[in-house]
Amino acid sequence: MPPIDRLLREGTRALQQAGIPSPLFDARELLMHALGLSSRMELYRLATVEENAATVYRQLILRRAQRYPLQYLLGFWEFYGRRFSVREGVLIPRADTECLIDCALQAAGKGAAILDLCSGTGAIAITLALEIDGAQVDALELSPSALEVLRENVQSHRVSIRVLSADALTYLPDRLYSLITCNPPYIDAQDYAHLQPEVLHEPEMALVADHNGFAFYEVVTERYRDFLLPGGLLLFEVGVGQAETVRTLLANAGYQNVFSRLDVQGIERVVGGYL
């Protein structure tokens, strides 16, 4: 039975040679996954690993070295302190988006009526449902693959959310909302091929938008204005360098007190405006 420390060194070296940015972290996460462990404390209590688990681990390391996303290999990822299921066909939740949650929590009060567009895993919708007392949350998603994961996450987190299967560009809500959130596709098609290899494994429909990446911002800004309550907030996640244009779209559409917020990396990541 191979020693834990040797396997970790072996995996870390392989990932480092493959150009993985965080080789030790990834190797450790994959070893824990292969062993069915949930904490590093459990990992470091072990001295050796059964051969079958070591084989699984080496296969995971090989796949990760091919730049397959760590999150898909694990089958989950953390967002706002909670674990969400992820797999091929759904966008991986990112820490950048937690800035949107912070803005939403500052604006939304108890019992808020919330619509989350382009919901994906449901990370935004579920987090808001859990963080805001009495929130009435609708989560809208078009992709069948993503809808399956969204429903799994709603069930595993035991939240009451209405899941809507529809296209955010054409959907007509049947109610009014005090908060509408949207983390849409916002990458220009010409930039798609130049993304990190891991990102290319994620669904293109969740990443790429027409009009140089601004199609969803243009449509949602206009289309959903009629479905916001007076004083309601429309809140977007935006890509690098897009904040100024999205602020202008909101201002030109009649939204008030338009603002932007920085993410953990100091990038303008969230843009919002009030009706």
Side-chain angles (χ1 to χ4, degrees), residues 12-26:
T12 301
R13 183 167 57 251
L15 297 184
Q16 192 171 31
Q17 291 172 349
I20 302 299
S22 50
L24 175 58
F25 174 85
D26 289 28

PDB file of all heavy atoms in Angstrom, residues 12-26:
ATOM      1  N   THR A  12       1.252  15.959  -7.035  1.00  0.00           N
ATOM      2  CA  THR A  12       1.611  17.374  -7.116  1.00  0.00           C
ATOM      3  C   THR A  12       2.620  17.615  -8.226  1.00  0.00           C
ATOM      4  O   THR A  12       2.502  18.575  -9.000  1.00  0.00           O
ATOM      5  CB  THR A  12       2.190  17.855  -5.775  1.00  0.00           C
ATOM      6  OG1 THR A  12       1.223  17.659  -4.733  1.00  0.00           O
ATOM      7  CG2 THR A  12       2.565  19.330  -5.837  1.00  0.00           C
ATOM      8  N   ARG A  13       3.611  16.743  -8.326  1.00  0.00           N
ATOM      9  CA  ARG A  13       4.636  16.884  -9.361  1.00  0.00           C
ATOM     10  C   ARG A  13       4.025  16.760 -10.756  1.00  0.00           C
ATOM     11  O   ARG A  13       4.337  17.551 -11.662  1.00  0.00           O
ATOM     12  CB  ARG A  13       5.725  15.831  -9.162  1.00  0.00           C
ATOM     13  CG  ARG A  13       6.890  15.951 -10.155  1.00  0.00           C
ATOM     14  CD  ARG A  13       8.067  15.104  -9.724  1.00  0.00           C
ATOM     15  NE  ARG A  13       7.706  13.700  -9.573  1.00  0.00           N
ATOM     16  CZ  ARG A  13       7.622  13.069  -8.389  1.00  0.00           C
ATOM     17  NH1 ARG A  13       7.869  13.725  -7.263  1.00  0.00           N
ATOM     18  NH2 ARG A  13       7.290  11.781  -8.324  1.00  0.00           N
ATOM     19  N   ALA A  14       3.116  15.799 -10.929  1.00  0.00           N
ATOM     20  CA  ALA A  14       2.478  15.608 -12.235  1.00  0.00           C
ATOM     21  C   ALA A  14       1.647  16.830 -12.634  1.00  0.00           C
ATOM     22  O   ALA A  14       1.679  17.266 -13.794  1.00  0.00           O
ATOM     23  CB  ALA A  14       1.597  14.363 -12.210  1.00  0.00           C
ATOM     24  N   LEU A  15       0.937  17.392 -11.690  1.00  0.00           N
ATOM     25  CA  LEU A  15       0.106  18.565 -11.979  1.00  0.00           C
ATOM     26  C   LEU A  15       0.958  19.806 -12.206  1.00  0.00           C
ATOM     27  O   LEU A  15       0.636  20.649 -13.055  1.00  0.00           O
ATOM     28  CB  LEU A  15      -0.893  18.798 -10.846  1.00  0.00           C
ATOM     29  CG  LEU A  15      -1.920  17.689 -10.626  1.00  0.00           C
ATOM     30  CD1 LEU A  15      -2.913  18.077  -9.543  1.00  0.00           C
ATOM     31  CD2 LEU A  15      -2.664  17.348 -11.915  1.00  0.00           C
ATOM     32  N   GLN A  16       2.051  19.898 -11.474  1.00  0.00           N
ATOM     33  CA  GLN A  16       2.960  21.030 -11.665  1.00  0.00           C
ATOM     34  C   GLN A  16       3.557  21.003 -13.070  1.00  0.00           C
ATOM     35  O   GLN A  16       3.636  22.025 -13.754  1.00  0.00           O
ATOM     36  CB  GLN A  16       4.060  20.983 -10.610  1.00  0.00           C
ATOM     37  CG  GLN A  16       4.894  22.236 -10.514  1.00  0.00           C
ATOM     38  CD  GLN A  16       5.808  22.192  -9.303  1.00  0.00           C
ATOM     39  OE1 GLN A  16       6.259  21.127  -8.876  1.00  0.00           O
ATOM     40  NE2 GLN A  16       6.075  23.354  -8.724  1.00  0.00           N
ATOM     41  N   GLN A  17       3.945  19.830 -13.493  1.00  0.00           N
ATOM     42  CA  GLN A  17       4.524  19.679 -14.831  1.00  0.00           C
ATOM     43  C   GLN A  17       3.499  19.970 -15.928  1.00  0.00           C
ATOM     44  O   GLN A  17       3.851  20.405 -17.022  1.00  0.00           O
ATOM     45  CB  GLN A  17       5.087  18.262 -14.995  1.00  0.00           C
ATOM     46  CG  GLN A  17       6.315  17.992 -14.143  1.00  0.00           C
ATOM     47  CD  GLN A  17       6.742  16.534 -14.173  1.00  0.00           C
ATOM     48  OE1 GLN A  17       6.018  15.663 -14.675  1.00  0.00           O
ATOM     49  NE2 GLN A  17       7.919  16.254 -13.632  1.00  0.00           N
ATOM     50  N   ALA A  18       2.211  19.774 -15.611  1.00  0.00           N
ATOM     51  CA  ALA A  18       1.152  20.031 -16.585  1.00  0.00           C
ATOM     52  C   ALA A  18       0.726  21.500 -16.600  1.00  0.00           C
ATOM     53  O   ALA A  18      -0.137  21.878 -17.394  1.00  0.00           O
ATOM     54  CB  ALA A  18      -0.054  19.152 -16.282  1.00  0.00           C
ATOM     55  N   GLY A  19       1.329  22.300 -15.708  1.00  0.00           N
ATOM     56  CA  GLY A  19       1.009  23.723 -15.682  1.00  0.00           C
ATOM     57  C   GLY A  19      -0.231  24.082 -14.890  1.00  0.00           C
ATOM     58  O   GLY A  19      -0.782  25.178 -15.054  1.00  0.00           O
ATOM     59  N   ILE A  20      -0.668  23.200 -14.008  1.00  0.00           N
ATOM     60  CA  ILE A  20      -1.821  23.494 -13.160  1.00  0.00           C
ATOM     61  C   ILE A  20      -1.423  24.570 -12.148  1.00  0.00           C
ATOM     62  O   ILE A  20      -0.400  24.434 -11.467  1.00  0.00           O
ATOM     63  CB  ILE A  20      -2.303  22.220 -12.437  1.00  0.00           C
ATOM     64  CG1 ILE A  20      -2.671  21.131 -13.447  1.00  0.00           C
ATOM     65  CG2 ILE A  20      -3.462  22.534 -11.508  1.00  0.00           C
ATOM     66  CD1 ILE A  20      -3.780  21.495 -14.385  1.00  0.00           C
ATOM     67  N   PRO A  21      -2.196  25.629 -11.998  1.00  0.00           N
ATOM     68  CA  PRO A  21      -1.801  26.755 -11.138  1.00  0.00           C
ATOM     69  C   PRO A  21      -1.652  26.403  -9.661  1.00  0.00           C
ATOM     70  O   PRO A  21      -0.820  26.986  -8.966  1.00  0.00           O
ATOM     71  CB  PRO A  21      -2.939  27.767 -11.334  1.00  0.00           C
ATOM     72  CG  PRO A  21      -3.578  27.399 -12.634  1.00  0.00           C
ATOM     73  CD  PRO A  21      -3.434  25.916 -12.748  1.00  0.00           C
ATOM     74  N   SER A  22      -2.442  25.470  -9.163  1.00  0.00           N
ATOM     75  CA  SER A  22      -2.398  25.123  -7.728  1.00  0.00           C
ATOM     76  C   SER A  22      -2.224  23.612  -7.579  1.00  0.00           C
ATOM     77  O   SER A  22      -3.146  22.904  -7.150  1.00  0.00           O
ATOM     78  CB  SER A  22      -3.686  25.578  -7.042  1.00  0.00           C
ATOM     79  OG  SER A  22      -4.826  25.128  -7.764  1.00  0.00           O
ATOM     80  N   PRO A  23      -1.046  23.094  -7.916  1.00  0.00           N
ATOM     81  CA  PRO A  23      -0.868  21.638  -7.990  1.00  0.00           C
ATOM     82  C   PRO A  23      -1.057  20.904  -6.663  1.00  0.00           C
ATOM     83  O   PRO A  23      -1.677  19.834  -6.641  1.00  0.00           O
ATOM     84  CB  PRO A  23       0.567  21.484  -8.512  1.00  0.00           C
ATOM     85  CG  PRO A  23       1.237  22.783  -8.207  1.00  0.00           C
ATOM     86  CD  PRO A  23       0.181  23.815  -8.301  1.00  0.00           C
ATOM     87  N   LEU A  24      -0.536  21.454  -5.561  1.00  0.00           N
ATOM     88  CA  LEU A  24      -0.679  20.774  -4.272  1.00  0.00           C
ATOM     89  C   LEU A  24      -2.135  20.752  -3.829  1.00  0.00           C
ATOM     90  O   LEU A  24      -2.641  19.715  -3.388  1.00  0.00           O
ATOM     91  CB  LEU A  24       0.182  21.458  -3.214  1.00  0.00           C
ATOM     92  CG  LEU A  24       0.035  20.912  -1.781  1.00  0.00           C
ATOM     93  CD1 LEU A  24       0.353  19.430  -1.726  1.00  0.00           C
ATOM     94  CD2 LEU A  24       0.907  21.704  -0.804  1.00  0.00           C
ATOM     95  N   PHE A  25      -2.816  21.878  -3.951  1.00  0.00           N
ATOM     96  CA  PHE A  25      -4.228  21.941  -3.558  1.00  0.00           C
ATOM     97  C   PHE A  25      -5.041  20.926  -4.348  1.00  0.00           C
ATOM     98  O   PHE A  25      -5.826  20.161  -3.781  1.00  0.00           O
ATOM     99  CB  PHE A  25      -4.770  23.353  -3.794  1.00  0.00           C
ATOM    100  CG  PHE A  25      -6.248  23.480  -3.544  1.00  0.00           C
ATOM    101  CD1 PHE A  25      -6.726  23.709  -2.264  1.00  0.00           C
ATOM    102  CD2 PHE A  25      -7.166  23.361  -4.594  1.00  0.00           C
ATOM    103  CE1 PHE A  25      -8.105  23.816  -2.022  1.00  0.00           C
ATOM    104  CE2 PHE A  25      -8.536  23.463  -4.360  1.00  0.00           C
ATOM    105  CZ  PHE A  25      -9.004  23.700  -3.070  1.00  0.00           C
ATOM    106  N   ASP A  26      -4.858  20.904  -5.661  1.00  0.00           N
ATOM    107  CA  ASP A  26      -5.637  20.003  -6.506  1.00  0.00           C
ATOM    108  C   ASP A  26      -5.328  18.542  -6.194  1.00  0.00           C
ATOM    109  O   ASP A  26      -6.230  17.705  -6.122  1.00  0.00           O
ATOM    110  CB  ASP A  26      -5.360  20.289  -7.981  1.00  0.00           C
ATOM    111  CG  ASP A  26      -5.964  21.598  -8.452  1.00  0.00           C
ATOM    112  OD1 ASP A  26      -6.122  22.520  -7.624  1.00  0.00           O
ATOM    113  OD2 ASP A  26      -6.279  21.721  -9.650  1.00  0.00           O
TER     114      ASP A  26
END
